[in-house]
Amino acid sequence: MTTTSSPTTPAGRPKQRPGDRVFAGSAKGAGILILVILAGVAAFLVTESLPALTAPADEIPGGEGLIAYVAPLIFGTLLAAALAILVATPLGVAIALFITNYAPRRLAQVLGYLVDLLVAIPSIVYGFWGIYWLAPKLVPLFQWLEQHLGFIPLFAGPASATGRTMFTAGLVLAVMILPIVSAISREVFLQVPALHREAALALGATRWEMIRMAVLPYGKSGIIGGAMLGLGRALGETLAIALVLSVSGGITFNLIGTGNPSTIAANIALQFPESTGIDVNTLIASGLALFVITLAVNVLARWVVNRRADFSGAN
Amino acid sequence: MAKRIDVSDLDIYYGNFKAVEGVNLSIEPRSITALIGPSGCGKSTFLRALNRMHEVIPGARVEGKVVIEGQDLYGADVDPVDVRRQIGMVFQRPNPFPTMSIYDNVAAGIRLNNKKMKKADLDDLVERSLRGANLWNEVKDRLDRPGSGLSGGQQQRLCIARAIAVEPDVLLMDEPCSALDPISTLAIEDLMAELKERFTIVIVTHNMQQAARVSEQTGFFNLNGVGQPGRLIEFNPTEKIFSNPEMKATEDYISGRFG
C-alpha cells in the first residue's frame, strides 16, 4: 500500500559508508549462500544417482529397473501429500477465519498460541499417535466405506484390519500440516486492511459475505503459500509415514486396502540402513526425484500466485 | 430515492465511554448536510451511527432514535445489514476492493443485493453508475483492470460509483476528499452537487471552505475536553453558520480562534 521512496543520491559518486558496505555485503553473501547450498545439494544428488541411472535393470532392487522401482514411490508420495493438502487446506483456512473473524479476542489469542504450539510437535509423535490411536479407530470407518462406497475405486477394499492405510497416513499428514496452513492463513487474514472490510460491510455485506469479498481474495496468495509450505512438509515427511503406513503394494488408488505404495522419504528411511552399493545409489536417485517434485510444486505455486498479481491487493 | 433523516436525543457509546451526547437534528431529502468540528469531537462517530457502521467496533451502542422516513434504524427487528444496504458510505481513504476489477467493484453491491441480474442489465447499471460518478469516460476502456491501478481521485469516484450503484436512500461521506489533491477534490465536489438531485447526502469534512461550498445545512460538533462526550453545538443553514453563527464556539472555530 505505502511506497517508500529512496532518497535521491547526489550527483557524482555517493559517499561510501562502512556500515552500509558491511550490511550490503553480508546480505548479498547470505543470498548467494542459499544458491550455493541448493546447487550443492542438487550436484550431490545427481552425481550419487548416476550409477543407479546408468546401471542395468536387473541390478536395481526389484530387478525391473529404476523407473519401476521409483514410480510407485513417487505415486505414493504424491497421493499421501495430496490427501493431506485436500483435508488440511479447507480446515486450516476455516480455523484461521474463526480465529481472526469470529472468536472473541481472548479465545482467539489462546487458539492462536495452541496452533503455533502444534507446529512444534515432532513428527515421530504424530507417527505414534497415528499408529496406536488413529489407525484402530479408523478400521470401522474403512469397513463401512468398503460396504457402502466400495464401487468407488478409492474405497474398493478389502478394508485393512490394522487401519495402517494410505487414508490413515494422509490424515496423519493432514493433522501435521494443519497448524502450518492455519498459522500462515491467520497471519495473512490479520493483514487485511480494515478499510476493505469496512468497504464490504458498508455495502450491506453480512460477515460471511464480507469474508468472501474482502478477506479471502486478499489472503489468497497467503493461503496458497501456506498450503505449499504444508505440501512441502507432507512430501518430505519421513517418520510419521514410515510408522503408520503398512507398505506392500505398487501403484493403487485404493486408500483403505492392505497394499499401499510407500513414499520416497519413508522408503529411504526404512531401506537405507540395510543398503550397500548400487542400492544406496538407487535410494539417492529416488531422493533426486523428490527434490525435483518439491521444486516443481513450488514453481507451480509461484506461477499460480503471480498469474493475477495485479489483483493481489499488494499494489 | 432520497429520504429524510430525523435524529432525536442520540447518545453513542463505545463500551462505557460516551462518545457523543444528545444529538437532535433533521436532515431534508435531496440536500447536502456538512458536519464540521475539531478532531475527536464525534462527528465521524455520529456519521457512522447513521448506517450502524460504528457497530463494527465491539461494545459500540446507541441510545436515542435515528428515524429514516418513518423507519427506526435501531428498532428491535432491524438488521444492520439491511440498514447498510439502504444507506451508502464513502470513506476517508479510497477503498476499492484491490482484488476486483473496476467493473466488479461497481457491481459488488448489486451482486450482494440481487444475485440474479442479466449480464446486459448489469452492464447498463455499471455504466450508469460510473457515468453518475463522472468516471465512465476515464475507465470505459479498462473495466477489467484492477481498481487499485487508478489515481486516488479516480479511486474515490469509483467508490462513489460503487455506493450509488445500489441506489441507496442516503449517501454518507466521511472526509471523502481529505486524501485527494485540489483538482480531484473539485471533481468530487461537482459530483456531489449532481448527486444531491437524487440522494440525501451527509458529509463530514475538516475543510470549512468545502462545507461552505457544497452544503445547505451545517452542523458544528465540539467537545468540552478530552474524555468528554462530543455534542452538536449548532445546526443551521450553512450561510448562517459561516456569516452569523448563533454560538460563540462556532464562531471561534470557523474563524480559526480555536484552542
Side-chain angles (χ1 to χ4, degrees):
Chain A
M1 290 294 142
T2 52
T3 52
T4 49
S5 59
S6 55
T8 49
T9 47
R13 236 175 95 81
K15 194 183 166 203
Q16 295 273 338
R17 291 182 179 79
D20 281 350
R21 296 229 306 263
V22 169
F23 184 74
S26 53
K28 199 189 284 173
I32 292 172
L33 186 66
I34 288 286
L35 291 177
V36 170
I37 291 173
L38 199 65
V41 169
F44 163 80
L45 285 174
V46 170
T47 49
E48 290 296 310
S49 310
L50 271 180
L53 291 171
T54 53
D58 55 344
E59 285 182 22
I60 303 291
E64 288 165 39
L66 188 64
I67 308 260
Y69 181 80
V70 176
L73 295 177
I74 293 178
F75 176 82
T77 306
L78 291 176
L79 184 60
L83 276 177
I85 214 73
L86 275 179
V87 176
T89 307
L91 211 54
V93 169
I95 292 173
L97 281 179
F98 177 72
I99 292 176
T100 52
N101 283 282
Y102 288 93
R105 202 162 55 184
R106 278 270 177 72
L107 182 62
Q109 273 176 351
V110 172
L111 280 175
Y113 282 130
L114 282 180
V115 168
D116 288 345
L117 269 180
L118 283 177
V119 182
I121 295 180
S123 60
I124 191 145
V125 175
Y126 283 107
F128 279 129
W129 172 75
I131 195 169
Y132 287 120
W133 192 88
L134 185 64
K137 296 251 185 320
L138 284 175
V139 172
L141 174 70
F142 294 160
Q143 285 161 351
W144 185 90
L145 284 172
E146 186 196 355
Q147 259 178 26
H148 296 91
L149 296 171
F151 57 90
I152 303 171
L154 293 176
F155 308 123
S160 159
T162 57
R164 295 171 58 190
T165 65
M166 189 53 93
F167 191 104
T168 314
L171 279 190
V172 172
L173 283 184
V175 173
M176 283 181 62
I177 64 176
L178 187 63
I180 301 178
V181 177
S182 95
I184 290 177
S185 304
R186 188 192 64 204
E187 286 307 312
V188 184
F189 294 158
L190 286 175
Q191 304 295 321
V192 177
L195 271 175
H196 299 322
R197 295 165 183 275
E198 292 193 340
L201 290 174
L203 280 176
T206 61
R207 185 147 28 173
W208 165 236
E209 285 166 337
M210 181 271 283
I211 287 171
R212 250 184 13 206
M213 285 173 93
V215 177
L216 288 179
Y218 190 90
K220 196 180 68 179
S221 60
I223 297 171
I224 295 176
M228 287 307 134
L229 268 184
L231 191 58
R233 186 167 181 198
L235 286 171
E237 177 47 39
T238 311
L239 280 170
I241 296 280
L243 278 179
V244 169
L245 199 59
S246 155
V247 179
S248 62
I251 294 176
T252 170
F253 277 104
N254 185 356
L255 299 181
I256 61 171
T258 46
N260 302 292
S262 186
T263 70
I264 295 174
N267 182 63
I268 293 175
L270 292 174
Q271 304 296 329
F272 189 75
E274 289 146 34
S275 298
T276 50
I278 193 81
D279 296 359
V280 174
N281 298 114
T282 310
L283 290 177
I284 292 176
S286 71
L288 178 65
L290 182 59
F291 185 75
V292 171
I293 291 171
T294 319
L295 221 58
V297 163
N298 272 298
V299 170
L300 193 71
R302 258 315 133 77
W303 179 74
V304 168
V305 170
N306 284 341
R307 217 166 25 129
R308 276 168 59 88
D310 288 354
F311 289 91
S312 71
N315 49 357
Chain B
M1 213 205 341
K3 289 189 174 171
R4 69 177 277 124
I5 308 170
D6 294 289
V7 178
S8 44
D9 297 325
L10 189 71
D11 300 334
I12 308 172
Y13 296 85
Y14 291 119
N16 292 322
F17 174 65
K18 197 182 214 179
V20 175
E21 182 177 62
V23 177
N24 286 288
L25 55 76
S26 289
I27 294 169
E28 294 300 318
R30 292 187 190 77
S31 70
I32 299 180
T33 301
L35 305 176
I36 59 172
S39 295
C41 67
K43 57 194 187 308
S44 284
T45 296
F46 171 72
L47 189 78
R48 292 165 74 95
L50 293 182
N51 70 343
R52 300 186 66 167
M53 271 302 284
H54 71 297
E55 289 175 16
V56 170
I57 296 162
R61 65 195 162 86
V62 305
E63 283 167 15
K65 267 192 166 176
V66 179
V67 178
I68 301 223
E69 208 77 39
Q71 182 206 1
D72 183 0
L73 287 194
Y74 289 91
D77 53 347
V78 176
D79 182 352
V81 168
D82 292 333
V83 170
R84 294 178 200 140
R85 289 187 184 187
Q86 291 170 40
I87 304 177
M89 189 158 201
V90 175
F91 294 83
Q92 182 172 0
R93 295 240 321 263
N95 57 354
F97 296 115
T99 53
M100 290 187 195
S101 67
I102 292 171
Y103 183 100
D104 289 336
N105 261 289
V106 180
I110 305 155
R111 287 187 175 137
L112 278 181
N113 288 322
N114 175 10
K115 301 252 148 59
K116 291 197 175 55
M117 189 181 231
K118 275 195 216 124
K119 178 85 174 72
D121 293 345
L122 192 59
D123 287 350
D124 278 354
L125 214 153
V126 167
E127 176 173 347
R128 210 161 60 235
S129 306
L130 284 169
R131 281 191 193 283
N134 291 339
L135 190 61
W136 174 252
N137 288 327
E138 293 157 64
V139 301
K140 63 179 177 215
D141 299 324
R142 43 174 173 158
L143 291 176
D144 58 340
R145 300 299 304 149
S148 46
L150 301 173
S151 75
Q154 289 172 323
Q155 286 189 25
Q156 195 62 301
R157 276 178 284 149
L158 176 59
C159 293
I160 293 174
R162 181 176 66 189
I164 63 175
V166 293
E167 291 289 325
D169 303 325
V170 177
L171 196 55
L172 306 177
M173 301 176 123
D174 191 357
E175 298 182 45
C177 302
S178 65
L180 305 182
D181 66 89
I183 293 170
S184 305
T185 300
L186 193 65
I188 304 264
E189 287 180 9
D190 288 346
L191 176 58
M192 283 162 60
E194 292 171 25
L195 290 176
K196 78 168 180 184
E197 307 295 325
R198 293 159 58 203
F199 303 103
T200 307
I201 298 178
V202 184
I203 173 175
V204 164
T205 181
H206 271 133
N207 180 333
M208 279 180 278
Q209 287 82 6
Q210 181 171 58
R213 279 194 299 263
V214 300
S215 70
E216 279 98 34
Q217 301 278 325
T218 297
F220 171 61
F221 279 81
N222 202 356
L223 73 176
N224 293 331
V226 178
Q228 303 282 318
R231 297 159 169 278
L232 178 63
I233 303 294
E234 180 169 354
F235 187 69
N236 266 320
T238 301
E239 244 170 73
K240 182 169 168 54
I241 288 258
F242 284 99
S243 58
N244 182 24
E246 272 172 17
M247 309 295 289
K248 177 83 167 55
T250 315
E251 190 179 351
D252 286 352
Y253 182 71
I254 59 170
S255 59
R257 281 197 301 272
F258 186 79

